[in-house]
Amino acid sequence: MRVSQMFIPTLREVPAEAEIASHKLMLRAGLMRKLASGVYSFLPLGYKTFRKVEQIIREEMDRAGAQELIMSALLPAEFYQESGRWDVFGPEMFRLKDRSGRDFCLGPTHEEIFTETVKHETRSYRSLPLTLYQIQTKYRDERRPRFGVMRSREFVMKDAYSFDRDEAGLDVSYKKMYEAYCKAFDRCGLDYIVVDADTGAMGGSGSQEFMVKSEIGEAEIAFCEACGYAANVEKAECVPDACCDCTEELSLEKVETPNVKTIEDLMKFFNFSQKKFAKTLIYKADDKVVAAMIRGDRELNETKLQNHLKCIELEMADPETVSKITGADVGFAGPVGLKAEIIVDPEVAAMKNFVIGANETGYHLKNVNIDRDFKASVVKDIRNIVEGDQCPKCQAPIKVAHGIEVGHIFKLGTKYSKALNCIYLDETGKEVPMVMGCYGIGVNRTMAAVIEQNNDENGIIWPISVAPYHVIVIPVNTTDKTQMEAAEKIYNGLKAAGVEVMLDDRDERPGVKFKDADLIGIPVRITVGKKIGDGIVEYKLRKNKEFKDLKIDEAIDEAIKEVQEGLK
Ligand code: ATP
Ligand code: MG
């Protein structure tokens, strides 16, 4: 396409609202524009890449035997009410009413709808296994939309759902999706790792996330370079740190600690390290108040706590609730005499002679020992893993990095099929619930992640596979007839070979054209300048600094080869 006719509204300035490279570059390179918080339009160049990412995913899904269909984004409430998720989604779900007052939502994910569809149409074991998918717009009223299309309120997801006769069948369907995801993300040029993920309080027998390692990623991943163990921090099992060396239990002391509230204050006051304290955190779990205990230097992992409690809502208790249950101000909570379920992290269970709040404002207890001074309702891993912890598989030190979750695969089991009565008749005519899996990829987020991993100070560096165009031909002087003729020849030659090519025929200074070509990240640049008198053009790859002089036909051949190689 001729650049003079294209709609590529590039920006010189970095938009103030954009914090991360991909967001900045998607705006600057004219790939998209913002309409509202977390709502974007894709412009022609952005949409071209978007569709390529989508097509790669589609091809890999088809290759894995999944069948594409499309469902509405506007969905009646009944299905979600039946599964219980009408309430679970809370404010993240966009809800609306039609003119006669019926409840609808804009689909945040489609498990219910696929289950309903399959249940009405599939009865026999002979029709299974079955994997269906769609590439469709989802709506989530995210608490914090940010980073452009990384976390937006409207986004496109490839969501797939598998239906099997039994767990063994699910394992096969799941593995196929796993492999399809690897191929799709490889083809997009992403460097990713697959991590074990939490299956949530609602069950499910296994789940993995595809994470693109990146400092700006909102997910935290714990991984072990020695054995390859990798898990989302929410899921990663913690090995308790060795407990303190003291063996003898000292006698319990109540110590007046006026104005001492935070762990820092306590450390100063007692002149102990954080490891000698145990934090007692008061939580509201649905209608219940519970206490969770972790070592002073640790962070509580709310997902682990929520999974243990099997509650729908979990939040830190407000000061009134804390005072009511402990009889003291916030900052003095402790387990001794507390009338609540007390969930104790294994590290705390192994501690001796430690310090806790006394459930009395202005006091702490010293030399506390579990079992002697209080009882745990349960001892359960509820803390966050940290860098340097022991790997739960091989004991080597764990590393922690940030990642962008681009895909998620999940063995659902019979959660939805039981709730929605999605059954089939087996060989003996018995009714059996189908065993399901669900599999999601964020298309917009994947595209942004590709940019996040492939850019420099001048702009995007698209891999050939998802570049909006493969080659850009730049005549330095558009009023020079020889240059223009050569540029046209290259342009037409490449087009004829099926290469997607842009011709920058704008009457602009060459510096401007080079800057734009770099910003929008076209992988191959062919510049036609003064050397064309000798039949020579300049050939350069966006990812390299160097360029080389080639004859016109050589440049065409080399570009074709580069593109073919990149599309393999
Ligand atoms: P996150 O933890 O980032 O909110 P999620 O666990 O809610 O993600 P899933 O429900 O598993 O995500 O959705 C499948 C995929 O959809 C994710 O892996 C991600 O790529 C994409 N996705 C989810 N939420 C968003 C969003 N708000 N904007 C863009 N993509 C999203
Ligand atoms: Mg989410």
Side-chain angles (χ1 to χ4, degrees):
M1 181 125 198
R2 285 163 202 277
V3 176
S4 62
Q5 279 146 46
M6 291 175 78
F7 183 57
I8 312 175
T10 56
L11 302 172
R12 292 273 164 264
E13 300 295 316
V14 179
E17 88 233 39
E19 299 164 66
I20 61 164
S22 59
H23 187 191
K24 287 179 191 165
L25 288 170
M26 287 179 82
L27 293 169
R28 281 191 55 213
L31 307 190
M32 68 173 193
R33 285 293 180 264
K34 177 176 163 182
L35 289 179
S37 166
V39 184
Y40 291 87
S41 308
F42 274 102
L43 304 186
L45 216 52
Y47 192 48
K48 236 173 158 266
T49 289
F50 180 89
R51 290 212 326 229
K52 289 192 178 183
V53 174
E54 196 182 84
Q55 185 57 22
I56 287 175
I57 298 168
R58 176 176 288 120
E59 284 169 13
E60 295 309 332
M61 293 305 291
D62 290 347
R63 211 196 300 273
Q67 298 169 64
E68 186 171 10
L69 51 73
I70 187 95
M71 287 183 172
S72 173
L74 180 64
L75 302 169
E78 293 96 89
F79 302 129
Y80 291 91
Q81 283 158 345
E82 220 176 307
S83 74
R85 287 212 291 183
W86 185 253
D87 296 325
V88 172
F89 269 110
E92 200 166 300
M93 191 185 244
F94 275 103
R95 295 157 207 263
L96 59 161
K97 285 185 191 297
D98 71 4
R99 62 174 75 202
S100 43
R102 276 184 71 194
D103 283 316
F104 281 82
C105 69
L106 297 178
T109 174
H110 278 65
E111 281 78 5
E112 285 80 352
I113 318 304
F114 274 78
T115 312
E116 279 293 330
T117 305
V118 169
K119 132 183 170 185
H120 288 298
E121 316 298 338
T122 306
R123 292 288 293 162
S124 162
Y125 69 93
R126 286 189 204 89
S127 314
L128 302 178
L130 178 68
T131 299
L132 301 173
Y133 78 99
Q134 62 177 347
I135 300 177
Q136 189 257 8
T137 310
K138 301 280 184 263
Y139 295 86
R140 295 183 184 180
D141 197 357
E142 296 275 354
R143 189 197 294 269
R144 246 189 115 192
R146 60 191 217 140
F147 295 162
V149 293
M150 284 272 186
R151 182 170 300 285
S152 50
R153 298 198 292 171
E154 182 193 70
F155 60 96
V156 173
M157 197 201 286
K158 184 289 300 166
D159 48 328
Y161 305 85
S162 64
F163 300 83
D164 273 279
R165 296 186 210 177
D166 49 29
E167 285 288 336
L170 169 61
D171 289 347
V172 175
S173 300
Y174 183 89
K175 184 153 180 283
K176 281 189 188 159
M177 288 296 112
Y178 177 100
E179 282 161 4
Y181 275 38
C182 291
K183 285 194 194 130
F185 292 129
D186 285 341
R187 285 178 65 189
C188 289
L190 282 170
D191 178 16
Y192 60 91
I193 60 169
V194 190
V195 307
D196 291 346
D198 176 54
T199 49
M202 306 301 244
S205 55
S207 167
Q208 285 166 301
E209 287 165 348
F210 287 72
M211 295 280 190
V212 170
K213 269 199 212 164
S214 159
E215 272 168 33
I216 63 95
E218 293 179 284
E220 277 190 288
I221 317 161
F223 61 98
C224 172
E225 284 171 335
C227 74
Y229 172 80
N232 189 321
V233 162
E234 288 167 359
K235 162 89 178 173
E237 295 159 48
C238 295
V239 176
D241 193 11
C243 65
C244 63
D245 39 15
C246 50
T247 45
E248 198 186 328
E249 292 190 355
L250 304 174
S251 46
L252 185 68
E253 274 179 52
K254 184 161 143 189
V255 184
E256 192 175 358
T257 52
N259 302 320
V260 170
K261 284 188 181 166
T262 63
I263 282 279
E264 286 72 34
D265 296 342
L266 276 169
M267 280 162 59
K268 263 198 218 129
F269 187 91
F270 284 95
N271 198 21
F272 283 161
S273 94
Q274 275 181 307
K275 297 184 181 179
K276 285 288 283 181
F277 299 91
K279 293 192 266 197
T280 307
L281 305 167
I282 309 294
Y283 270 86
K284 261 183 165 166
D286 295 337
D287 302 329
K288 207 165 58 166
V289 178
V290 300
M293 292 188 73
I294 47 172
R295 206 169 73 182
D297 58 330
R298 301 302 194 191
E299 274 178 27
L300 185 94
N301 182 317
E302 293 189 351
T303 305
K304 290 183 182 174
L305 182 61
Q306 186 164 15
N307 287 348
H308 165 69
L309 294 166
K310 299 200 170 27
C311 58
I312 292 173
E313 294 218 13
L314 181 75
E315 54 175 8
M316 285 208 76
D318 51 85
E320 292 92 274
T321 310
V322 174
S323 295
K324 212 165 130 199
I325 187 122
T326 63
D329 288 353
V330 172
F332 298 96
V336 177
L338 194 73
K339 291 206 169 42
E341 180 176 345
I342 305 171
I343 301 111
V344 176
D345 188 78
E347 255 171 13
V348 175
M351 281 162 79
K352 288 249 180 302
N353 302 322
F354 52 100
V355 176
I356 55 171
N359 290 333
E360 189 177 334
T361 306
Y363 289 90
H364 279 80
L365 297 177
K366 196 175 146 185
N367 298 332
V368 176
N369 287 285
I370 192 165
D371 293 335
R372 184 190 72 181
D373 301 321
F374 72 96
K375 297 261 179 297
S377 310
V378 61
V379 175
K380 192 97 202 159
D381 169 19
I382 49 168
R383 74 168 171 100
N384 273 340
I385 199 164
V386 290
E387 182 128 348
D389 270 353
Q390 279 184 30
C391 168
K393 294 275 176 290
C394 79
Q395 281 76 53
I398 280 285
K399 295 219 153 153
V400 176
H402 284 268
I404 303 166
E405 181 202 317
V406 286
H408 191 180
I409 54 179
F410 200 121
K411 290 183 185 173
L412 288 172
T414 51
K415 173 175 180 265
Y416 291 94
S417 48
K418 278 190 180 149
L420 302 172
N421 199 31
C422 179
I423 47 156
Y424 71 95
L425 300 177
D426 72 6
E427 290 93 328
T428 63
K430 194 173 89 198
E431 291 190 340
V432 186
M434 295 186 200
V435 183
M436 291 174 57
C438 73
Y439 316 90
I441 296 181
V443 181
N444 323 32
R445 191 183 282 184
T446 299
M447 172 174 167
V450 174
I451 300 177
E452 208 54 51
Q453 279 193 339
N454 298 280
N455 71 79
D456 63 12
E457 64 285 1
N458 298 321
I460 303 168
I461 308 173
W462 286 121
I464 297 267
S465 58
V466 294
Y469 290 85
H470 305 131
V471 180
I472 184 161
V473 182
I474 301 184
V476 170
N477 180 358
T478 45
T479 57
D480 181 317
K481 210 168 144 240
T482 326
Q483 282 187 25
M484 275 316 278
E485 273 173 15
E488 293 276 357
K489 184 176 171 205
I490 300 168
Y491 175 65
N492 289 320
L494 288 172
K495 265 209 322 203
V499 171
E500 292 172 288
V501 51
M502 294 165 83
L503 174 64
D504 196 347
D505 58 341
R506 293 175 302 166
D507 182 17
E508 283 280 4
R509 282 178 294 119
V512 171
K513 295 189 190 181
F514 294 146
K515 267 209 158 69
D516 282 345
D518 279 355
L519 176 61
I520 63 175
I522 306 305
V524 182
R525 186 179 90 189
I526 301 175
T527 308
V528 186
K530 288 207 179 94
K531 287 186 211 159
I532 197 64
D534 304 322
I536 299 291
V537 296
E538 187 188 289
Y539 181 93
K540 180 181 176 299
L541 298 182
R542 174 68 180 88
K543 63 182 181 203
N544 298 338
K545 291 262 173 289
E546 325 69 68
F547 49 81
K548 55 185 174 190
D549 286 343
L550 293 178
K551 294 203 179 97
I552 290 181
D553 289 340
E554 285 171 349
I556 294 176
D557 288 347
E558 182 116 355
I560 293 171
K561 244 198 279 157
E562 183 72 28
V563 172
Q564 283 169 347
E565 206 49 43
L567 292 179
K568 258 188 197 156

